[in-house]
Amino acid sequence: MAPEDHEGATSLLQSFERRFLAARALPSFPWQSLEEKLREPSGSELLLAILQKTVKHPVCVQHLPSVKYARCFLSKLIKKHEAVPTEPLDALYEALAEVLMAKESTQCHRSYLLPSGDSVTLSESTAIVSHGTTGLVTWDAALYLAEWAIKNPGAFTDRTVLELGSGAGLTGLAICKACYPSAFIFSDCHGQVLEQLRGNVLLNGFSLELYTPTDPSSPKVTVAKLDWDEVTAAQLSAFQADVVIAADVLYCGEVTLSLVRVLKMLSACQRQNAPNVYVAYTIRSQDTGKLFITELDRAGIYWEEVPPHAGQLFPYEEHSAIVILKLTLNGRHRVGR
């Protein structure tokens, strides 16, 4: 195999691996590139490698994905294989047979590979919106913010980080594993989300006790119930956060106003030691973010857009318009950019 062909196959394999482990939508997979590779003599070898990096991946075997998802993926993979005049691969049909005999659960796992070789695994609801909250799944801005954090660990190392609206916990768990904060506080207001958050923290090897004495580098991790409409200045001050983060929480005007209320409260109660704040959101319409920026300006909170970073680590949609704003709460800077 020529070097460029090997490089192309490696890239294709990595794309399938990352997308399958994270249970991304099947149409987002590079199927056309696979079809081209399957016409080459090494096509069958590539299919077997894809099988090992997806359904048979050690992470996947330990933390099962949705049965329906695995079945649909294997069915499509077999369809691509059968479209090429070559010998049938028993391993593909055996893998499908195993999946067909498995029982579906209301919970499934998604895993995200980190540059260190470690991974973050989340137990998530098989429904996109469940129990009246969108916090039970991972959204693209959470992946994008986690990616930025991994590329900028100095913003979090040896610091106390408070996450507002943690959802399934992806961003915080990635920061805990890759950026070495001294403490990390996950927070949300929905009981079902908080229950899942605690489960995901434990699933990834962190303790919810005060400290993990066997590993000095492991951060103090807590999960807190925090309702943005009810939280008090005293409660926020008690966290003593050096950094505050939030991802994909600007999904309606009411929630946006509540978030600004919390930020104003943080600014007032930590005036001498105001935290750095990073808010990531996906621009789904022209109105996304506009209200937030308007309210920040009205509150006298300085904001600036963090420059886009290069190199995609996680399988979010490449063409998604995602923004990270860095906010300064101490009022010593001018408003806006």
Side-chain angles (χ1 to χ4, degrees):
M1 185 183 292
E4 60 272 16
D5 291 336
H6 178 74
E7 184 178 329
T10 301
S11 175
L12 186 65
L13 191 58
Q14 184 181 73
S15 180
F16 268 83
E17 176 186 42
R18 292 184 179 274
R19 289 180 180 278
F20 181 83
L21 292 181
R24 300 300 293 187
L26 292 184
S28 73
F29 283 63
W31 297 109
Q32 187 172 348
S33 297
L34 176 62
E35 289 173 5
E36 294 170 3
K37 288 291 182 183
L38 290 182
R39 298 189 189 101
E40 299 174 3
S42 58
S44 294
E45 184 181 331
L46 176 60
L47 273 177
L48 292 175
I50 288 175
L51 187 64
Q52 292 302 315
K53 288 290 187 178
T54 54
V55 179
K56 298 294 184 181
H57 196 290
V59 172
C60 184
V61 171
Q62 186 178 4
H63 304 294
L64 299 176
S66 159
V67 171
K68 180 180 179 181
Y69 181 80
R71 185 182 73 241
C72 291
F73 171 79
L74 282 170
S75 296
K76 186 148 189 171
L77 198 63
I78 288 171
K79 186 176 180 181
K80 298 298 180 185
H81 170 56
E82 291 176 343
V84 179
T86 185
E87 289 294 317
L89 290 175
D90 291 342
L92 287 177
Y93 299 95
E94 289 168 2
L96 180 60
E98 289 178 13
V99 169
L100 289 173
M101 289 188 291
K103 292 183 179 179
E104 186 64 274
S105 170
T106 56
Q107 294 289 115
C108 60
H109 295 95
R110 297 174 187 255
S111 296
Y112 303 87
L113 301 179
L114 303 178
S116 63
D118 199 354
S119 62
V120 171
T121 295
L122 305 176
S123 174
E124 294 189 347
S125 169
T126 50
I128 288 185
V129 179
S130 176
H131 301 279
T133 173
T134 57
L136 294 170
V137 295
T138 297
W139 302 94
D140 281 0
L143 294 167
Y144 188 78
L145 182 57
E147 190 173 84
W148 180 85
I150 290 169
K151 293 173 181 289
N152 296 273
F156 305 95
T157 302
D158 297 328
R159 299 191 178 185
T160 296
V161 184
L162 167 64
E163 182 174 20
L164 301 172
S166 297
L170 180 279
T171 306
L173 288 167
I175 289 173
C176 286
K177 289 195 172 192
C179 302
Y180 308 105
S182 58
F184 196 99
I185 303 110
F186 295 88
S187 74
D188 217 293
C189 66
H190 296 277
Q192 193 77 16
V193 176
L194 290 167
E195 181 183 340
Q196 181 171 269
L197 257 176
R198 294 187 188 99
N200 283 335
V201 168
L202 297 173
L203 182 65
N204 283 273
F206 293 103
S207 171
L208 283 171
E209 299 173 5
L210 291 183
Y211 286 96
T212 308
T214 55
D215 185 0
S217 67
S218 185
K220 171 185 174 182
V221 176
T222 54
V223 175
K225 182 175 183 179
L226 200 159
D227 188 318
W228 298 352
D229 292 322
E230 298 178 3
V231 67
T232 65
Q235 289 172 319
L236 288 174
S237 181
F239 292 129
Q240 286 299 297
D242 302 306
V243 183
V244 176
I245 64 171
D248 251 340
V249 295
L250 307 181
Y251 49 86
C252 74
E254 184 180 337
V255 172
T256 298
L257 294 175
S258 297
L259 175 59
V260 174
R261 172 185 179 270
V262 172
L263 296 175
K264 287 164 66 177
M265 206 177 293
L266 275 168
S267 179
C269 70
Q270 287 188 224
R271 191 168 295 278
Q272 300 302 316
N273 186 28
N276 289 324
V277 181
Y278 299 94
V279 178
Y281 59 92
T282 303
I283 301 175
R284 296 187 175 87
S285 72
Q286 291 184 344
D287 295 330
T288 305
K290 279 188 177 180
L291 175 61
F292 184 51
I293 289 170
T294 298
E295 291 300 316
L296 290 178
D297 290 345
R298 183 176 297 171
I301 296 174
Y302 173 80
W303 59 271
E304 60 182 327
E305 191 171 319
V306 174
H309 55 267
Q312 186 174 348
L313 298 176
F314 298 124
Y316 52 84
E317 294 309 313
E318 296 178 35
H319 302 297
S320 294
I322 305 174
V323 172
I324 300 177
L325 295 185
K326 180 180 179 181
L327 315 181
T328 305
L329 301 184
N330 58 22
R332 291 182 300 205
H333 299 269
R334 63 185 176 84
V335 175
R337 285 183 289 179

